[in-house]
PDB file of all heavy atoms in Angstrom:
ATOM      1  N   ILE V   6       7.783  -1.162  -4.027  1.00  0.00           N
ATOM      2  CA  ILE V   6       7.093   0.113  -3.836  1.00  0.00           C
ATOM      3  C   ILE V   6       6.689   0.119  -2.382  1.00  0.00           C
ATOM      4  O   ILE V   6       5.877  -0.681  -1.929  1.00  0.00           O
ATOM      5  CB  ILE V   6       5.840   0.199  -4.726  1.00  0.00           C
ATOM      6  CG1 ILE V   6       6.243   0.081  -6.165  1.00  0.00           C
ATOM      7  CG2 ILE V   6       5.142   1.492  -4.473  1.00  0.00           C
ATOM      8  CD1 ILE V   6       5.172  -0.243  -7.158  1.00  0.00           C
ATOM      9  N   VAL V   7       7.334   1.008  -1.647  1.00  0.00           N
ATOM     10  CA  VAL V   7       7.061   1.171  -0.129  1.00  0.00           C
ATOM     11  C   VAL V   7       6.221   2.350   0.041  1.00  0.00           C
ATOM     12  O   VAL V   7       6.671   3.547  -0.360  1.00  0.00           O
ATOM     13  CB  VAL V   7       8.391   1.171   0.662  1.00  0.00           C
ATOM     14  CG1 VAL V   7       8.096   1.311   2.083  1.00  0.00           C
ATOM     15  CG2 VAL V   7       9.225  -0.047   0.343  1.00  0.00           C
ATOM     16  N   ILE V   8       5.110   2.238   0.707  1.00  0.00           N
ATOM     17  CA  ILE V   8       4.203   3.354   0.898  1.00  0.00           C
ATOM     18  C   ILE V   8       4.047   3.599   2.405  1.00  0.00           C
ATOM     19  O   ILE V   8       3.483   2.803   3.099  1.00  0.00           O
ATOM     20  CB  ILE V   8       2.822   3.063   0.247  1.00  0.00           C
ATOM     21  CG1 ILE V   8       2.934   2.711  -1.272  1.00  0.00           C
ATOM     22  CG2 ILE V   8       1.867   4.209   0.460  1.00  0.00           C
ATOM     23  CD1 ILE V   8       1.718   2.154  -1.806  1.00  0.00           C
ATOM     24  N   PRO V   9       4.539   4.752   2.880  1.00  0.00           N
ATOM     25  CA  PRO V   9       4.266   5.122   4.239  1.00  0.00           C
ATOM     26  C   PRO V   9       2.802   5.629   4.338  1.00  0.00           C
ATOM     27  O   PRO V   9       2.320   6.327   3.449  1.00  0.00           O
ATOM     28  CB  PRO V   9       5.294   6.190   4.610  1.00  0.00           C
ATOM     29  CG  PRO V   9       5.580   6.807   3.268  1.00  0.00           C
ATOM     30  CD  PRO V   9       5.374   5.703   2.224  1.00  0.00           C
ATOM     31  N   ALA V  10       2.089   5.274   5.376  1.00  0.00           N
ATOM     32  CA  ALA V  10       0.681   5.700   5.507  1.00  0.00           C
ATOM     33  C   ALA V  10       0.346   5.950   6.996  1.00  0.00           C
ATOM     34  O   ALA V  10       0.682   5.294   7.904  1.00  0.00           O
ATOM     35  CB  ALA V  10      -0.227   4.607   4.978  1.00  0.00           C
ATOM     36  N   TYR V  11      -0.404   7.036   7.138  1.00  0.00           N
ATOM     37  CA  TYR V  11      -0.951   7.392   8.461  1.00  0.00           C
ATOM     38  C   TYR V  11      -2.306   8.076   8.212  1.00  0.00           C
ATOM     39  O   TYR V  11      -2.382   9.155   7.614  1.00  0.00           O
ATOM     40  CB  TYR V  11      -0.009   8.276   9.258  1.00  0.00           C
ATOM     41  CG  TYR V  11      -0.584   8.665  10.585  1.00  0.00           C
ATOM     42  CD1 TYR V  11      -0.691   7.749  11.614  1.00  0.00           C
ATOM     43  CD2 TYR V  11      -1.087   9.982  10.814  1.00  0.00           C
ATOM     44  CE1 TYR V  11      -1.301   8.091  12.785  1.00  0.00           C
ATOM     45  CE2 TYR V  11      -1.721  10.329  12.038  1.00  0.00           C
ATOM     46  CZ  TYR V  11      -1.800   9.317  12.992  1.00  0.00           C
ATOM     47  OH  TYR V  11      -2.301   9.741  14.179  1.00  0.00           O
ATOM     48  N   ASN V  12      -3.368   7.432   8.601  1.00  0.00           N
ATOM     49  CA  ASN V  12      -4.740   7.957   8.485  1.00  0.00           C
ATOM     50  C   ASN V  12      -5.032   8.322   7.042  1.00  0.00           C
ATOM     51  O   ASN V  12      -5.406   9.447   6.713  1.00  0.00           O
ATOM     52  CB  ASN V  12      -4.979   9.131   9.439  1.00  0.00           C
ATOM     53  CG  ASN V  12      -5.063   8.682  10.865  1.00  0.00           C
ATOM     54  OD1 ASN V  12      -5.237   7.529  11.203  1.00  0.00           O
ATOM     55  ND2 ASN V  12      -4.873   9.634  11.789  1.00  0.00           N
ATOM     56  N   GLU V  13      -4.770   7.359   6.189  1.00  0.00           N
ATOM     57  CA  GLU V  13      -4.999   7.569   4.667  1.00  0.00           C
ATOM     58  C   GLU V  13      -6.215   6.832   4.095  1.00  0.00           C
ATOM     59  O   GLU V  13      -6.263   6.509   2.953  1.00  0.00           O
ATOM     60  CB  GLU V  13      -3.742   7.086   4.005  1.00  0.00           C
ATOM     61  CG  GLU V  13      -2.539   7.903   4.295  1.00  0.00           C
ATOM     62  CD  GLU V  13      -2.608   9.405   3.764  1.00  0.00           C
ATOM     63  OE1 GLU V  13      -3.371   9.592   2.809  1.00  0.00           O
ATOM     64  OE2 GLU V  13      -1.876  10.214   4.347  1.00  0.00           O
ATOM     65  N   GLU V  14      -7.198   6.504   4.963  1.00  0.00           N
ATOM     66  CA  GLU V  14      -8.333   5.783   4.417  1.00  0.00           C
ATOM     67  C   GLU V  14      -9.043   6.390   3.254  1.00  0.00           C
ATOM     68  O   GLU V  14      -9.552   5.662   2.392  1.00  0.00           O
ATOM     69  CB  GLU V  14      -9.327   5.475   5.547  1.00  0.00           C
ATOM     70  CG  GLU V  14     -10.264   6.637   5.943  1.00  0.00           C
ATOM     71  CD  GLU V  14     -11.297   6.231   6.993  1.00  0.00           C
ATOM     72  OE1 GLU V  14     -11.911   5.206   6.795  1.00  0.00           O
ATOM     73  OE2 GLU V  14     -11.417   6.927   7.999  1.00  0.00           O
ATOM     74  N   ARG V  15      -8.979   7.645   3.098  1.00  0.00           N
ATOM     75  CA  ARG V  15      -9.626   8.384   1.954  1.00  0.00           C
ATOM     76  C   ARG V  15      -8.898   8.158   0.682  1.00  0.00           C
ATOM     77  O   ARG V  15      -9.471   8.283  -0.462  1.00  0.00           O
ATOM     78  CB  ARG V  15      -9.669   9.881   2.223  1.00  0.00           C
ATOM     79  CG  ARG V  15     -10.669  10.286   3.293  1.00  0.00           C
ATOM     80  CD  ARG V  15     -10.744  11.751   3.573  1.00  0.00           C
ATOM     81  NE  ARG V  15     -10.804  12.495   2.321  1.00  0.00           N
ATOM     82  CZ  ARG V  15     -10.479  13.775   2.269  1.00  0.00           C
ATOM     83  NH1 ARG V  15      -9.993  14.406   3.293  1.00  0.00           N
ATOM     84  NH2 ARG V  15     -10.584  14.451   1.095  1.00  0.00           N
ATOM     85  N   PHE V  16      -7.567   7.791   0.703  1.00  0.00           N
ATOM     86  CA  PHE V  16      -6.813   7.748  -0.477  1.00  0.00           C
ATOM     87  C   PHE V  16      -6.101   6.398  -0.785  1.00  0.00           C
ATOM     88  O   PHE V  16      -5.784   6.190  -1.913  1.00  0.00           O
ATOM     89  CB  PHE V  16      -5.697   8.965  -0.490  1.00  0.00           C
ATOM     90  CG  PHE V  16      -6.290  10.223  -0.221  1.00  0.00           C
ATOM     91  CD1 PHE V  16      -6.075  10.834   1.003  1.00  0.00           C
ATOM     92  CD2 PHE V  16      -6.947  10.940  -1.258  1.00  0.00           C
ATOM     93  CE1 PHE V  16      -6.638  12.142   1.194  1.00  0.00           C
ATOM     94  CE2 PHE V  16      -7.533  12.163  -0.995  1.00  0.00           C
ATOM     95  CZ  PHE V  16      -7.324  12.764   0.228  1.00  0.00           C
ATOM     96  N   ILE V  17      -5.859   5.651   0.201  1.00  0.00           N
ATOM     97  CA  ILE V  17      -5.010   4.424   0.069  1.00  0.00           C
ATOM     98  C   ILE V  17      -5.575   3.451  -0.856  1.00  0.00           C
ATOM     99  O   ILE V  17      -4.807   2.859  -1.705  1.00  0.00           O
ATOM    100  CB  ILE V  17      -4.630   3.738   1.428  1.00  0.00           C
ATOM    101  CG1 ILE V  17      -3.447   2.817   1.296  1.00  0.00           C
ATOM    102  CG2 ILE V  17      -5.846   3.104   2.025  1.00  0.00           C
ATOM    103  CD1 ILE V  17      -2.144   3.441   1.105  1.00  0.00           C
ATOM    104  N   GLY V  18      -6.849   3.245  -0.877  1.00  0.00           N
ATOM    105  CA  GLY V  18      -7.481   2.327  -1.772  1.00  0.00           C
ATOM    106  C   GLY V  18      -7.340   2.709  -3.254  1.00  0.00           C
ATOM    107  O   GLY V  18      -6.971   1.893  -4.156  1.00  0.00           O
ATOM    108  N   ARG V  19      -7.505   4.036  -3.469  1.00  0.00           N
ATOM    109  CA  ARG V  19      -7.340   4.529  -4.886  1.00  0.00           C
ATOM    110  C   ARG V  19      -5.963   4.361  -5.381  1.00  0.00           C
ATOM    111  O   ARG V  19      -5.636   4.003  -6.513  1.00  0.00           O
ATOM    112  CB  ARG V  19      -7.791   6.009  -4.900  1.00  0.00           C
ATOM    113  CG  ARG V  19      -7.876   6.552  -6.332  1.00  0.00           C
ATOM    114  CD  ARG V  19      -8.515   7.960  -6.378  1.00  0.00           C
ATOM    115  NE  ARG V  19      -9.353   8.227  -5.199  1.00  0.00           N
ATOM    116  CZ  ARG V  19      -9.456   9.424  -4.672  1.00  0.00           C
ATOM    117  NH1 ARG V  19      -8.840  10.451  -5.178  1.00  0.00           N
ATOM    118  NH2 ARG V  19     -10.183   9.636  -3.580  1.00  0.00           N
ATOM    119  N   LEU V  20      -5.016   4.673  -4.458  1.00  0.00           N
ATOM    120  CA  LEU V  20      -3.544   4.572  -4.755  1.00  0.00           C
ATOM    121  C   LEU V  20      -3.180   3.115  -5.113  1.00  0.00           C
ATOM    122  O   LEU V  20      -2.564   2.850  -6.109  1.00  0.00           O
ATOM    123  CB  LEU V  20      -2.726   5.131  -3.646  1.00  0.00           C
ATOM    124  CG  LEU V  20      -1.220   4.929  -3.790  1.00  0.00           C
ATOM    125  CD1 LEU V  20      -0.617   5.661  -5.052  1.00  0.00           C
ATOM    126  CD2 LEU V  20      -0.467   5.385  -2.563  1.00  0.00           C
ATOM    127  N   LEU V  21      -3.570   2.214  -4.256  1.00  0.00           N
ATOM    128  CA  LEU V  21      -3.309   0.830  -4.529  1.00  0.00           C
ATOM    129  C   LEU V  21      -3.950   0.274  -5.832  1.00  0.00           C
ATOM    130  O   LEU V  21      -3.392  -0.529  -6.551  1.00  0.00           O
ATOM    131  CB  LEU V  21      -3.735  -0.047  -3.337  1.00  0.00           C
ATOM    132  CG  LEU V  21      -2.873   0.218  -2.036  1.00  0.00           C
ATOM    133  CD1 LEU V  21      -3.496  -0.530  -0.850  1.00  0.00           C
ATOM    134  CD2 LEU V  21      -1.379  -0.161  -2.249  1.00  0.00           C
ATOM    135  N   GLU V  22      -5.115   0.759  -6.169  1.00  0.00           N
ATOM    136  CA  GLU V  22      -5.802   0.359  -7.380  1.00  0.00           C
ATOM    137  C   GLU V  22      -4.982   0.849  -8.616  1.00  0.00           C
ATOM    138  O   GLU V  22      -4.799   0.178  -9.615  1.00  0.00           O
ATOM    139  CB  GLU V  22      -7.175   0.882  -7.485  1.00  0.00           C
ATOM    140  CG  GLU V  22      -8.169   0.162  -6.579  1.00  0.00           C
ATOM    141  CD  GLU V  22      -9.515   0.841  -6.607  1.00  0.00           C
ATOM    142  OE1 GLU V  22      -9.803   1.698  -7.479  1.00  0.00           O
ATOM    143  OE2 GLU V  22     -10.370   0.464  -5.759  1.00  0.00           O
ATOM    144  N   ARG V  23      -4.468   2.114  -8.475  1.00  0.00           N
ATOM    145  CA  ARG V  23      -3.704   2.670  -9.583  1.00  0.00           C
ATOM    146  C   ARG V  23      -2.347   1.915  -9.774  1.00  0.00           C
ATOM    147  O   ARG V  23      -1.951   1.601 -10.891  1.00  0.00           O
ATOM    148  CB  ARG V  23      -3.383   4.102  -9.337  1.00  0.00           C
ATOM    149  CG  ARG V  23      -4.642   4.998  -9.445  1.00  0.00           C
ATOM    150  CD  ARG V  23      -4.368   6.408  -9.230  1.00  0.00           C
ATOM    151  NE  ARG V  23      -3.772   6.924 -10.517  1.00  0.00           N
ATOM    152  CZ  ARG V  23      -3.473   8.172 -10.732  1.00  0.00           C
ATOM    153  NH1 ARG V  23      -3.750   9.050  -9.823  1.00  0.00           N
ATOM    154  NH2 ARG V  23      -2.935   8.575 -11.858  1.00  0.00           N
ATOM    155  N   ILE V  24      -1.726   1.522  -8.668  1.00  0.00           N
ATOM    156  CA  ILE V  24      -0.527   0.777  -8.697  1.00  0.00           C
ATOM    157  C   ILE V  24      -0.826  -0.654  -9.297  1.00  0.00           C
ATOM    158  O   ILE V  24      -0.006  -1.165 -10.175  1.00  0.00           O
ATOM    159  CB  ILE V  24       0.174   0.612  -7.386  1.00  0.00           C
ATOM    160  CG1 ILE V  24       0.627   2.019  -6.897  1.00  0.00           C
ATOM    161  CG2 ILE V  24       1.238  -0.397  -7.378  1.00  0.00           C
ATOM    162  CD1 ILE V  24       1.105   2.059  -5.430  1.00  0.00           C
ATOM    163  N   ARG V  25      -1.917  -1.262  -8.892  1.00  0.00           N
ATOM    164  CA  ARG V  25      -2.265  -2.539  -9.420  1.00  0.00           C
ATOM    165  C   ARG V  25      -2.434  -2.543 -10.966  1.00  0.00           C
ATOM    166  O   ARG V  25      -2.061  -3.541 -11.621  1.00  0.00           O
ATOM    167  CB  ARG V  25      -3.657  -2.959  -8.790  1.00  0.00           C
ATOM    168  CG  ARG V  25      -4.165  -4.237  -9.462  1.00  0.00           C
ATOM    169  CD  ARG V  25      -5.599  -4.509  -8.928  1.00  0.00           C
ATOM    170  NE  ARG V  25      -5.729  -4.893  -7.581  1.00  0.00           N
ATOM    171  CZ  ARG V  25      -6.761  -4.945  -6.846  1.00  0.00           C
ATOM    172  NH1 ARG V  25      -7.927  -4.406  -7.340  1.00  0.00           N
ATOM    173  NH2 ARG V  25      -6.767  -5.316  -5.651  1.00  0.00           N
ATOM    174  N   ASN V  26      -2.899  -1.469 -11.457  1.00  0.00           N
ATOM    175  CA  ASN V  26      -3.215  -1.364 -12.943  1.00  0.00           C
ATOM    176  C   ASN V  26      -2.021  -1.049 -13.783  1.00  0.00           C
ATOM    177  O   ASN V  26      -2.063  -1.055 -15.013  1.00  0.00           O
ATOM    178  CB  ASN V  26      -4.275  -0.263 -13.178  1.00  0.00           C
ATOM    179  CG  ASN V  26      -5.611  -0.776 -12.656  1.00  0.00           C
ATOM    180  OD1 ASN V  26      -5.924  -1.917 -12.588  1.00  0.00           O
ATOM    181  ND2 ASN V  26      -6.453   0.193 -12.272  1.00  0.00           N
ATOM    182  N   VAL V  27      -0.803  -0.795 -13.151  1.00  0.00           N
ATOM    183  CA  VAL V  27       0.400  -0.553 -13.980  1.00  0.00           C
ATOM    184  C   VAL V  27       1.064  -1.881 -14.307  1.00  0.00           C
ATOM    185  O   VAL V  27       1.386  -2.651 -13.426  1.00  0.00           O
ATOM    186  CB  VAL V  27       1.364   0.347 -13.137  1.00  0.00           C
ATOM    187  CG1 VAL V  27       2.693   0.525 -13.928  1.00  0.00           C
ATOM    188  CG2 VAL V  27       0.745   1.675 -12.851  1.00  0.00           C
ATOM    189  N   ASP V  28       1.186  -2.084 -15.568  1.00  0.00           N
ATOM    190  CA  ASP V  28       1.840  -3.323 -16.071  1.00  0.00           C
ATOM    191  C   ASP V  28       3.308  -3.074 -16.308  1.00  0.00           C
ATOM    192  O   ASP V  28       3.682  -2.318 -17.213  1.00  0.00           O
ATOM    193  CB  ASP V  28       1.071  -3.825 -17.329  1.00  0.00           C
ATOM    194  CG  ASP V  28       1.793  -5.089 -17.895  1.00  0.00           C
ATOM    195  OD1 ASP V  28       2.459  -5.748 -17.190  1.00  0.00           O
ATOM    196  OD2 ASP V  28       1.423  -5.408 -19.108  1.00  0.00           O
ATOM    197  N   LEU V  29       4.140  -3.659 -15.566  1.00  0.00           N
ATOM    198  CA  LEU V  29       5.592  -3.482 -15.658  1.00  0.00           C
ATOM    199  C   LEU V  29       6.311  -4.626 -16.525  1.00  0.00           C
ATOM    200  O   LEU V  29       7.471  -4.521 -16.672  1.00  0.00           O
ATOM    201  CB  LEU V  29       6.197  -3.402 -14.294  1.00  0.00           C
ATOM    202  CG  LEU V  29       5.776  -2.226 -13.432  1.00  0.00           C
ATOM    203  CD1 LEU V  29       6.408  -2.308 -12.042  1.00  0.00           C
ATOM    204  CD2 LEU V  29       6.121  -0.840 -14.110  1.00  0.00           C
ATOM    205  N   THR V  30       5.508  -5.605 -16.887  1.00  0.00           N
ATOM    206  CA  THR V  30       6.122  -6.700 -17.630  1.00  0.00           C
ATOM    207  C   THR V  30       6.820  -6.285 -18.952  1.00  0.00           C
ATOM    208  O   THR V  30       7.857  -6.889 -19.229  1.00  0.00           O
ATOM    209  CB  THR V  30       5.072  -7.898 -17.947  1.00  0.00           C
ATOM    210  OG1 THR V  30       3.979  -7.295 -18.568  1.00  0.00           O
ATOM    211  CG2 THR V  30       4.662  -8.499 -16.610  1.00  0.00           C
ATOM    212  N   PRO V  31       6.368  -5.347 -19.639  1.00  0.00           N
ATOM    213  CA  PRO V  31       7.129  -4.907 -20.834  1.00  0.00           C
ATOM    214  C   PRO V  31       8.552  -4.365 -20.491  1.00  0.00           C
ATOM    215  O   PRO V  31       9.440  -4.395 -21.351  1.00  0.00           O
ATOM    216  CB  PRO V  31       6.308  -3.732 -21.441  1.00  0.00           C
ATOM    217  CG  PRO V  31       4.896  -4.027 -20.980  1.00  0.00           C
ATOM    218  CD  PRO V  31       5.077  -4.609 -19.610  1.00  0.00           C
ATOM    219  N   LEU V  32       8.739  -3.969 -19.224  1.00  0.00           N
ATOM    220  CA  LEU V  32      10.014  -3.482 -18.791  1.00  0.00           C
ATOM    221  C   LEU V  32      10.907  -4.565 -18.177  1.00  0.00           C
ATOM    222  O   LEU V  32      11.987  -4.435 -17.616  1.00  0.00           O
ATOM    223  CB  LEU V  32       9.863  -2.351 -17.814  1.00  0.00           C
ATOM    224  CG  LEU V  32       9.104  -1.126 -18.368  1.00  0.00           C
ATOM    225  CD1 LEU V  32       8.816  -0.112 -17.213  1.00  0.00           C
ATOM    226  CD2 LEU V  32       9.840  -0.452 -19.459  1.00  0.00           C
ATOM    227  N   GLY V  33      10.313  -5.824 -18.095  1.00  0.00           N
ATOM    228  CA  GLY V  33      10.996  -6.929 -17.504  1.00  0.00           C
ATOM    229  C   GLY V  33      10.985  -6.888 -15.950  1.00  0.00           C
ATOM    230  O   GLY V  33      11.862  -7.381 -15.316  1.00  0.00           O
ATOM    231  N   LEU V  34       9.932  -6.161 -15.454  1.00  0.00           N
ATOM    232  CA  LEU V  34       9.846  -6.066 -13.943  1.00  0.00           C
ATOM    233  C   LEU V  34       8.505  -6.638 -13.416  1.00  0.00           C
ATOM    234  O   LEU V  34       7.540  -6.567 -14.098  1.00  0.00           O
ATOM    235  CB  LEU V  34       9.845  -4.573 -13.564  1.00  0.00           C
ATOM    236  CG  LEU V  34      11.105  -3.780 -13.946  1.00  0.00           C
ATOM    237  CD1 LEU V  34      10.836  -2.293 -13.696  1.00  0.00           C
ATOM    238  CD2 LEU V  34      12.249  -4.250 -13.022  1.00  0.00           C
ATOM    239  N   SER V  35       8.616  -7.086 -12.189  1.00  0.00           N
ATOM    240  CA  SER V  35       7.456  -7.411 -11.405  1.00  0.00           C
ATOM    241  C   SER V  35       7.470  -6.405 -10.260  1.00  0.00           C
ATOM    242  O   SER V  35       8.412  -5.708 -10.073  1.00  0.00           O
ATOM    243  CB  SER V  35       7.448  -8.856 -10.869  1.00  0.00           C
ATOM    244  OG  SER V  35       8.515  -9.059 -10.069  1.00  0.00           O
ATOM    245  N   LYS V  36       6.383  -6.382  -9.540  1.00  0.00           N
ATOM    246  CA  LYS V  36       6.384  -5.395  -8.413  1.00  0.00           C
ATOM    247  C   LYS V  36       5.916  -6.005  -7.134  1.00  0.00           C
ATOM    248  O   LYS V  36       5.130  -7.047  -7.117  1.00  0.00           O
ATOM    249  CB  LYS V  36       5.470  -4.219  -8.772  1.00  0.00           C
ATOM    250  CG  LYS V  36       4.027  -4.539  -9.043  1.00  0.00           C
ATOM    251  CD  LYS V  36       3.272  -3.350  -9.602  1.00  0.00           C
ATOM    252  CE  LYS V  36       1.948  -3.883 -10.097  1.00  0.00           C
ATOM    253  NZ  LYS V  36       1.444  -3.137 -11.206  1.00  0.00           N
ATOM    254  N   GLU V  37       6.437  -5.526  -6.060  1.00  0.00           N
ATOM    255  CA  GLU V  37       5.889  -5.810  -4.711  1.00  0.00           C
ATOM    256  C   GLU V  37       5.504  -4.464  -4.064  1.00  0.00           C
ATOM    257  O   GLU V  37       6.205  -3.500  -4.224  1.00  0.00           O
ATOM    258  CB  GLU V  37       6.895  -6.557  -3.903  1.00  0.00           C
ATOM    259  CG  GLU V  37       8.154  -5.768  -3.493  1.00  0.00           C
ATOM    260  CD  GLU V  37       9.040  -6.516  -2.526  1.00  0.00           C
ATOM    261  OE1 GLU V  37       8.675  -7.570  -2.049  1.00  0.00           O
ATOM    262  OE2 GLU V  37      10.177  -5.995  -2.324  1.00  0.00           O
ATOM    263  N   VAL V  38       4.358  -4.480  -3.319  1.00  0.00           N
ATOM    264  CA  VAL V  38       3.838  -3.292  -2.731  1.00  0.00           C
ATOM    265  C   VAL V  38       3.897  -3.577  -1.218  1.00  0.00           C
ATOM    266  O   VAL V  38       3.292  -4.571  -0.771  1.00  0.00           O
ATOM    267  CB  VAL V  38       2.467  -2.968  -3.216  1.00  0.00           C
ATOM    268  CG1 VAL V  38       1.917  -1.734  -2.510  1.00  0.00           C
ATOM    269  CG2 VAL V  38       2.400  -2.785  -4.759  1.00  0.00           C
ATOM    270  N   ILE V  39       4.524  -2.674  -0.499  1.00  0.00           N
ATOM    271  CA  ILE V  39       4.574  -2.793   0.981  1.00  0.00           C
ATOM    272  C   ILE V  39       4.019  -1.490   1.540  1.00  0.00           C
ATOM    273  O   ILE V  39       4.561  -0.353   1.256  1.00  0.00           O
ATOM    274  CB  ILE V  39       6.040  -2.949   1.437  1.00  0.00           C
ATOM    275  CG1 ILE V  39       6.648  -4.233   0.761  1.00  0.00           C
ATOM    276  CG2 ILE V  39       6.152  -3.063   2.902  1.00  0.00           C
ATOM    277  CD1 ILE V  39       8.131  -4.261   0.896  1.00  0.00           C
ATOM    278  N   VAL V  40       3.006  -1.606   2.362  1.00  0.00           N
ATOM    279  CA  VAL V  40       2.455  -0.455   2.990  1.00  0.00           C
ATOM    280  C   VAL V  40       2.892  -0.462   4.447  1.00  0.00           C
ATOM    281  O   VAL V  40       2.636  -1.498   5.120  1.00  0.00           O
ATOM    282  CB  VAL V  40       0.868  -0.409   2.894  1.00  0.00           C
ATOM    283  CG1 VAL V  40       0.354   0.835   3.623  1.00  0.00           C
ATOM    284  CG2 VAL V  40       0.432  -0.390   1.347  1.00  0.00           C
ATOM    285  N   VAL V  41       3.491   0.555   4.930  1.00  0.00           N
ATOM    286  CA  VAL V  41       3.881   0.755   6.346  1.00  0.00           C
ATOM    287  C   VAL V  41       2.924   1.627   6.948  1.00  0.00           C
ATOM    288  O   VAL V  41       2.907   2.902   6.743  1.00  0.00           O
ATOM    289  CB  VAL V  41       5.307   1.213   6.432  1.00  0.00           C
ATOM    290  CG1 VAL V  41       5.728   1.338   7.932  1.00  0.00           C
ATOM    291  CG2 VAL V  41       6.276   0.371   5.784  1.00  0.00           C
ATOM    292  N   ASP V  42       1.967   1.088   7.797  1.00  0.00           N
ATOM    293  CA  ASP V  42       0.998   1.931   8.444  1.00  0.00           C
ATOM    294  C   ASP V  42       1.552   2.330   9.836  1.00  0.00           C
ATOM    295  O   ASP V  42       1.885   1.522  10.669  1.00  0.00           O
ATOM    296  CB  ASP V  42      -0.254   1.097   8.669  1.00  0.00           C
ATOM    297  CG  ASP V  42      -1.381   1.811   9.363  1.00  0.00           C
ATOM    298  OD1 ASP V  42      -1.208   3.025   9.661  1.00  0.00           O
ATOM    299  OD2 ASP V  42      -2.477   1.252   9.545  1.00  0.00           O
ATOM    300  N   ASP V  43       1.680   3.604  10.004  1.00  0.00           N
ATOM    301  CA  ASP V  43       2.238   4.213  11.253  1.00  0.00           C
ATOM    302  C   ASP V  43       1.151   4.301  12.350  1.00  0.00           C
ATOM    303  O   ASP V  43       0.921   5.336  12.938  1.00  0.00           O
ATOM    304  CB  ASP V  43       2.860   5.521  10.984  1.00  0.00           C
ATOM    305  CG  ASP V  43       3.720   6.059  12.129  1.00  0.00           C
ATOM    306  OD1 ASP V  43       4.143   5.203  12.963  1.00  0.00           O
ATOM    307  OD2 ASP V  43       4.086   7.162  12.113  1.00  0.00           O
ATOM    308  N   HIS V  44       0.494   3.161  12.596  1.00  0.00           N
ATOM    309  CA  HIS V  44      -0.527   3.018  13.646  1.00  0.00           C
ATOM    310  C   HIS V  44      -1.662   3.982  13.449  1.00  0.00           C
ATOM    311  O   HIS V  44      -2.098   4.753  14.323  1.00  0.00           O
ATOM    312  CB  HIS V  44       0.085   3.197  15.077  1.00  0.00           C
ATOM    313  CG  HIS V  44      -0.715   2.523  16.132  1.00  0.00           C
ATOM    314  ND1 HIS V  44      -0.679   1.178  16.321  1.00  0.00           N
ATOM    315  CD2 HIS V  44      -1.576   3.064  17.030  1.00  0.00           C
ATOM    316  CE1 HIS V  44      -1.499   0.906  17.314  1.00  0.00           C
ATOM    317  NE2 HIS V  44      -2.083   2.006  17.744  1.00  0.00           N
TER     318      HIS V  44
END
Side-chain angles (χ1 to χ4, degrees):
I6 303 165
V7 181
I8 303 168
Y11 178 71
N12 291 341
E13 295 292 337
E14 75 175 314
R15 289 179 48 204
F16 305 106
I17 195 73
R19 189 172 338 146
L20 175 62
L21 292 173
E22 286 175 12
R23 291 183 75 173
I24 292 170
R25 174 192 284 165
N26 291 330
V27 175
D28 181 13
L29 297 175
T30 54
L32 301 173
L34 295 171
S35 64
K36 60 188 168 212
E37 68 174 349
V38 179
I39 304 164
V40 178
V41 180
D42 181 0
D43 196 16
H44 203 77

